[in-house]
Amino acid sequence: KNPAVSKIVLIGHSQGAIIVSNVLSKLKDKNYTREELNKLEVYTFASPASKTHLEPTELFINIFSSY
């Protein structure tokens, strides 16, 4: 909630991506404003989870993936 902070980048790889998802789910239940939440920039890679607790606002798909 520090106004001097303009952006927070959160990165999770593999099981860390699941932890990031759980943290974001808990943040959603707190009383943060949209302006505060918009400071978050989240990247997850190689997550073993088949779904997340939150809907992504932007989704980037690797065009070279096998999907």
Side-chain angles (χ1 to χ4, degrees), residues 15-29 44 47 49-57:
Q15 187 172 350
I18 295 173
I19 294 168
V20 167
S21 176
N22 289 337
V23 167
L24 292 176
S25 179
K26 290 177 191 265
L27 284 178
K28 185 177 77 170
D29 297 333
T44 60
S47 175
S50 61
K51 64 181 180 176
T52 181
H53 297 288
L54 302 174
E55 293 297 320
T57 55

Side-chain angles (χ1 to χ4, degrees), residues 19-65:
I19 294 168
V20 167
S21 176
N22 289 337
V23 167
L24 292 176
S25 179
K26 290 177 191 265
L27 284 178
K28 185 177 77 170
D29 297 333
K30 301 292 181 185
N31 291 326
Y32 289 102
T33 65
R34 173 63 68 186
E35 182 178 297
E36 291 168 329
L37 292 176
N38 282 340
K39 292 181 179 182
L40 287 174
E41 189 171 312
V42 179
Y43 299 94
T44 60
F45 304 92
S47 175
S50 61
K51 64 181 180 176
T52 181
H53 297 288
L54 302 174
E55 293 297 320
T57 55
E58 294 182 36
L59 178 63
F60 296 96
I61 300 173
N62 183 345
I63 61 170
F64 300 107
S65 72

